[in-house]
Amino acid sequence: MCSLHMAKAPTILAIESSCDETSAAVVHQGKVLNNIIATQSIHENYGGVVPELASRAHQSNIVPVVDEALKNAGITKNNLDAIAFTQGPGLLGALLVGTSFAKAMALALDIPLIAVDHMQAHVLAHFIEPPYPEFPFLCLTVSGGHTQILLVRSHLDMQVVGRTRDDAVGEAFDKIAKLLGFPYPGGPLLDQMAGKGNPDAYEFPQTQVDGLDFSFSGIKTAVLYFLRDALKSNENFVEQQLADICASVQKTLIQMLFQKLEAAANKFDISEIAVAGGVSANSGLRQGLQELARSRNWQSYIPEFQYCTDNAAMIAITAHFKYLEGQFADLQTGPNPRLAL
Ligand code: KG4
Ligand code: ZN
């Protein structure tokens, strides 16, 4: 499309389908009007996301979810200036549903297509509603699939400066929660139980990694061996000590995150600190960040809960910034499960 015909204040429909939420949102003049999310509960029966079931659920959810987003925004598809979709990273089959749908819609309406990086969108969720972080800022993105520290110079210029070398922190929460008998995804349930326990009751080893990188697979194994030993002498150990175990695990995982976040803040001499991704819903992390921010004189930012977990509102706001820069995708663009910033 000729840039002369681009709307200055575009209306964009955005679609997110990278994992197990089918979501659509409309952004108008940089303001996100809604955030419709269909969560797939079918995976609870399997202890984790089953890719093929996720793809099928996206297929049945996508039309009603998009319809609702347009109706809720009070617009028809003819009012749209562009269609945005999550290109990756994520599950191939799941991404394919959103990508194909967006491409077909952009082609039919003869409007531009915008491909969005899911991890960039988690960071830009901070621009859905004020207060906005000031550039440059650091963003700790913590989800079920990723743990990254990004140096964010502007809306579309960001660089990964630290990342996990194995499990993501959300994955560690979920896997340890599973060892303790919680259903998937156990992270939020572990968090709830941790609120009733003593975080200093038990100590778990923290894997040391150079620089700003993380490693979370060791603590999962440490908890596994700890439980095996404790259960040998008391078969009711987990039930009796559940709250204390959860509180201690949560404290350790958060300490590991904050240690690297502080190191990054020191290294880049930045005091604007943002946290994004599903794990930023964790109550220990939220409270810990507030305390750390007070003691370090940081300005800290965590988006509203609905914008922390996977959602199309963050895809929509990212698409808005990409539209203004004329960053469009062509119809050959496909999903990229390993897309990296
Ligand atoms: O960002 P997200 O919704 O999806 C991914 O892109 O992965 O993050 C989901 C992850 C899951 O691992 C879930 O257990 C974790 O975020 N999570 C939590 C909490 N709420 C969600 N982990 C710990 N405490 C919570 N309150
Ligand atoms: Zn995500």
Side-chain angles (χ1 to χ4, degrees):
M1 157 165 296
C2 170
S3 59
L4 288 175
H5 295 136
M6 269 169 54
K8 285 239 167 46
T11 304
I12 305 169
L13 169 73
I15 295 163
E16 153 66 30
S17 73
S18 65
C19 191
D20 58 344
E21 330 273 357
T22 318
S23 182
V26 174
V27 59
H28 173 63
Q29 299 183 354
K31 190 171 168 19
V32 173
L33 301 184
N34 52 33
N35 185 34
I36 310 298
I37 303 177
T39 300
Q40 305 176 0
S41 54
I42 185 156
H43 307 288
E44 279 166 20
N45 306 329
Y46 300 90
V49 176
V50 183
E52 181 54 32
L53 294 179
S55 312
R56 290 187 209 173
H58 283 306
Q59 264 180 327
S60 43
N61 289 343
I62 197 156
V63 171
V65 165
V66 165
D67 254 356
E68 197 178 330
L70 293 176
K71 269 197 207 115
N72 176 285
I75 60 167
T76 69
K77 47 191 188 306
N78 296 320
N79 299 122
L80 293 170
D81 297 304
I83 310 283
F85 66 98
T86 303
Q87 187 184 14
L91 301 169
L92 178 59
L95 291 166
L96 199 54
V97 176
T99 305
S100 312
F101 189 93
K103 279 160 72 168
M105 202 161 167
L107 182 66
L109 295 171
D110 192 22
I111 55 176
L113 187 64
I114 302 174
V116 171
D117 181 308
H118 181 88
M119 299 313 293
Q120 183 170 44
H122 268 303
V123 175
L124 294 179
H126 285 280
F127 295 90
I128 296 172
E129 276 171 11
Y132 309 132
E134 280 179 26
F135 299 114
F137 66 89
L138 290 171
C139 186
L140 172 68
T141 307
V142 279
S143 73
H146 295 270
T147 304
Q148 299 181 334
I149 299 178
L150 294 108
L151 171 58
V152 187
R153 297 190 189 87
S154 69
H155 292 123
L156 299 178
D157 178 8
M158 53 184 81
Q159 176 192 352
V160 178
V161 294
R163 59 166 66 76
T164 181
R165 295 193 179 166
D166 40 54
D167 290 353
V169 65
E171 205 176 343
F173 265 107
D174 293 340
K175 285 179 175 171
I176 294 171
K178 193 172 174 186
L179 294 176
L180 294 169
F182 291 109
Y184 177 85
L189 303 168
L190 192 153
D191 181 9
Q192 263 175 30
M193 188 53 73
K196 300 178 194 149
N198 171 11
D200 299 317
Y202 301 104
E203 213 167 288
F204 297 105
Q206 301 186 16
T207 312
Q208 297 302 323
V209 188
D210 290 345
L212 300 177
D213 283 354
F214 303 91
S215 167
F216 290 105
S217 62
I219 178 168
K220 170 197 65 196
T221 315
V223 174
L224 177 70
Y225 291 146
F226 165 81
L227 293 177
R228 250 188 218 166
D229 289 347
L231 286 166
K232 271 184 208 154
S233 46
N234 173 7
E235 61 178 22
N236 298 318
F237 177 75
V238 172
E239 291 112 84
Q240 288 167 0
Q241 302 298 320
L242 189 58
D244 283 354
I245 303 169
C246 289
S248 304
V249 164
Q250 180 158 305
K251 180 187 157 192
T252 311
L253 290 171
I254 292 167
Q255 273 180 351
M256 290 166 80
L257 291 172
F258 285 170
Q259 195 197 345
K260 298 298 175 145
L261 191 56
E262 281 200 82
N266 292 342
K267 179 172 178 180
F268 297 104
D269 192 20
I270 287 179
S271 57
E272 292 282 305
I273 308 290
V275 180
V279 181
S280 51
N282 183 270
S283 53
L285 185 144
R286 285 178 171 252
Q287 196 190 330
L289 183 68
Q290 273 182 7
E291 287 163 13
L292 195 56
R294 224 174 289 131
S295 74
R296 295 286 318 251
N297 227 356
W298 289 349
Q299 289 296 324
S300 66
Y301 305 84
I302 299 187
E304 198 185 299
F305 179 68
Q306 62 165 323
Y307 304 134
C308 283
T309 51
D310 288 350
N311 67 85
M314 68 184 193
I315 307 301
I317 195 74
T318 307
H320 172 78
F321 294 122
K322 292 190 88 163
Y323 186 102
L324 297 182
E325 293 295 319
Q327 292 186 15
F328 300 118
D330 62 37
L331 288 171
Q332 308 307 318
T333 308
N336 182 350
R338 298 190 169 276
L339 189 65
L341 276 168

